[in-house]
Amino acid sequence: MDWYHLTQPETLDTPALIVFPERVKENIRLAIERVGSPARLRPHVKTHKSPDCTRLQLAAGITRFKCATIAEAEMLALEAAPDVLLAYQPIGPKTARLAQLIKKYPNTTFSCLIDNPQAATAMAATFAAAGLTVPVYLDINVGMDRTGIAPGDEALQLYKLAAQTPGINPIGLHGYDGHIRDADLAERTRKCDEGFDLITRLNQTLGLPIIAGGSPTFPIHAKRAADIQCSPGTFVYWDKGYADGFPDQPFQPAALVVTRVISLRGDTRLCLDLGHKSIAPENDLPRRVSFLNGPHLNAVGQSEEHLVVEAGPNHGFRIGDIFYGIPFHVCPTIALYDRALTVEAGRITGAWKNTARDRSISL
């Protein structure tokens, strides 16, 4: 039997999200093996959003984490994660929520990003008023041009401002290069090294710890000096997009969606219960899901609760047949489900709550 098959799929209501804990553990092991020590990893939890997955990472010796929302930060604190970076520049009410979080969970060290003097000054005032001095990382623009400050005199001035402003304390540099997605490892390495060189030149003056990269450039940053922290996230579950795009990485799919045929459309098409609400729909239609037991199925239409696929003539499929799909983009797919059912030896054994899919937990 293939690794993904359920022994009693007829008992499972669909669409459903399933995860394979043993595969997750192996992916965590492989990530640690790549960097040489769990101390070099600062995994992003935006992929799994799960206390259970967090526990597996903690059990493997990982103590530093990265997240994108206050809810993800609180989920980590509830699991007693020692070190949590909110990889976001908190603006407006989010700053006050972060201050509340820091006070509520004193055993976790929280930090956040800054890339702008005005924003840094405003958040510092909020933190200082709350009696806090919050560690901050300078977010450096290494080419993605989404957030981050230019790695030159502008960044040096921001560092000096932060160092002199009550309420914040600059402790490191952060550079995310998610725009580098070349399938060719040599070309990806060249571009990654160019971006990283921008940070290292800046750091000749500052001498700060560096957090670098995401999943696509993980194998490149993993080979750097032992004091460079790597922050991939997708590796825990992996997905079809990264498996196709980066075959140099050894991770294995550990999260799938399960769907059923709910209608037959003529002689060649099937309708499945896998709509926009069940699989991340931001990619073009052919790049949303790939079926392990139906790789030839071609998606031709999707709505909120339905996915129509072309199966070809004489396909032999019947209403009720089960398909197992690998998401092309697993992170936003996880956010569509409140829980993932755990599968071991083909049997559903429990569930992992995707607690941090919500925008708030208690704050």
Side-chain angles (χ1 to χ4, degrees):
M1 185 175 70
D2 290 318
W3 65 269
Y4 54 85
H5 273 290
L6 297 173
T7 55
Q8 293 181 302
E10 67 278 2
T11 66
L12 177 63
D13 194 8
T14 54
L17 175 70
I18 59 175
V19 298
F20 299 79
E22 292 306 313
R23 285 184 156 238
V24 174
K25 292 176 187 177
E26 176 63 7
N27 285 341
I28 293 170
R29 188 195 69 78
L30 288 168
I32 294 172
E33 181 179 78
R34 277 279 171 119
V35 294
S37 166
R40 289 199 60 210
L41 277 179
R42 187 182 284 272
H44 206 311
V45 303
K46 69 183 179 67
T47 298
H48 62 78
K49 303 178 184 297
S50 161
D52 297 272
C53 194
T54 299
R55 290 182 204 122
L56 293 183
Q57 293 176 320
L58 286 164
I62 298 170
T63 60
R64 299 181 174 119
F65 295 87
K66 186 170 160 179
C67 63
T69 69
I70 297 294
E72 290 171 1
E74 184 167 11
M75 181 271 291
L76 288 164
L78 285 166
E79 296 305 317
D83 184 336
V84 174
L85 167 63
L86 177 67
Y88 212 85
Q89 181 168 247
I91 302 297
K94 200 180 300 293
T95 312
R97 289 179 67 201
L98 180 56
Q100 291 177 299
L101 194 69
I102 293 169
K103 288 195 167 186
K104 185 171 183 177
Y105 300 97
N107 293 328
T108 295
T109 298
F110 295 94
S111 55
C112 65
L113 300 183
I114 58 171
D115 75 357
N116 178 279
Q118 180 182 356
T121 300
M123 75 174 70
T126 299
F127 294 146
L132 300 171
T133 299
V134 178
V136 296
Y137 287 80
L138 271 67
D139 188 20
I140 306 301
N141 184 1
V142 294
M144 188 163 185
D145 210 24
R146 181 177 67 182
T147 63
I149 193 166
D153 185 65
E154 196 177 358
L156 290 173
Q157 294 306 314
L158 179 61
Y159 172 82
K160 291 177 183 177
L161 171 70
Q164 298 168 0
T165 303
I168 56 177
N169 176 35
I171 64 165
L173 304 178
H174 172 271
Y176 179 62
D177 50 16
H179 61 293
I180 302 173
R181 292 171 174 261
D182 301 82
D184 180 70
L185 180 58
E187 182 63 12
R188 200 179 339 138
T189 300
R190 182 187 67 79
K191 292 180 179 179
C192 177
D193 287 345
E194 284 181 356
F196 189 73
D197 184 58
L198 298 174
I199 295 183
T200 54
R201 278 188 282 164
L202 171 66
N203 209 33
Q204 288 175 358
T205 301
L206 299 175
L208 297 171
I210 297 174
I211 302 170
S215 294
T217 56
F218 173 58
I220 303 157
H221 292 301
K223 295 180 180 179
R224 303 200 191 283
D227 59 343
I228 305 301
Q229 295 176 35
C230 301
S231 54
T234 308
F235 73 95
V236 288
Y237 288 161
W238 213 224
D239 60 24
K240 178 66 171 171
Y242 278 177
D244 286 353
F246 313 116
D248 53 279
Q249 302 206 41
F251 306 112
Q252 53 191 2
L256 302 177
V257 291
V258 185
T259 181
R260 271 189 174 84
V261 178
I262 59 170
S263 185
L264 301 178
R265 314 311 308 147
D267 295 329
T268 66
R269 292 186 174 184
L270 317 173
C271 183
L272 313 179
D273 56 355
L274 195 71
H276 297 151
K277 295 176 181 176
S278 308
I279 191 81
E282 85 274 22
N283 290 328
D284 292 339
L285 192 53
R287 290 182 51 80
R288 294 180 186 175
V289 62
S290 176
F291 296 107
L292 290 171
N293 58 330
H296 62 288
L297 297 183
N298 179 34
V300 295
Q302 191 179 34
S303 53
E304 290 186 26
E305 309 291 351
H306 304 82
L307 176 68
V308 177
V309 299
E310 179 69 43
N314 304 312
H315 54 70
F317 295 118
R318 298 175 297 177
I319 289 178
D321 283 351
I322 293 283
F323 288 103
Y324 301 85
I326 304 180
F328 269 84
H329 195 181
V330 71
C331 307
T333 296
I334 298 299
L336 298 172
Y337 294 85
D338 68 342
R339 69 193 62 210
L341 301 176
T342 55
V343 178
E344 298 173 78
R347 295 178 57 253
I348 295 172
T349 56
W352 288 357
K353 288 282 288 180
N354 300 326
T355 304
R357 72 189 287 258
D358 295 332
R359 282 290 169 176
S360 71
I361 296 177
S362 74
L363 299 172

